Amino acid sequence: SAAATKKLTAEIEDDAGGEQDLKVGTPTLPSWSKQIKKGTKVEYFWNEEWGWCGGNVSEDPYMVLDELIITVTFDADGTVHKLPFTGDEKARWRPG
């Protein structure tokens, strides 16, 4: 019924605290990214096949526009890659 729908809507709004502000804009880097420096252990999600790959930051990171460029020497094979750490891809990174 319309009355039941109205009551349910009011309860949901009360639980949610009324209007909610949506976060709009460019995702930011996590706070732990500021602590990354040469020698820091990190893990990077390469892809579904390789999964999480651990390594060491082998050069001090630097910013290029909104990307933190991190040079990682991977534990498994010793390869070195310069990888961007952006707000959009922060889920691919975690402390090692």
Side-chain angles (χ1 to χ4, degrees), residues 21-73:
D21 290 330
L22 296 177
K23 291 187 178 183
V24 179
T26 305
T28 58
L29 293 174
S31 58
W32 70 268
S33 67
K34 294 177 181 76
Q35 300 168 5
I36 298 172
K37 61 183 185 252
K38 185 176 179 177
T40 303
K41 294 280 294 170
V42 294
E43 292 185 350
Y44 180 77
F45 189 82
W46 198 262
N47 59 28
E48 291 295 325
E49 180 182 352
W50 293 98
W52 288 100
C53 301
N56 285 304
V57 176
S58 49
E59 295 177 12
D60 283 325
Y62 56 92
M63 292 295 294
V64 174
L65 300 176
D66 62 345
E67 296 181 343
L68 183 63
I69 305 300
I70 302 177
T71 305
V72 180
T73 302

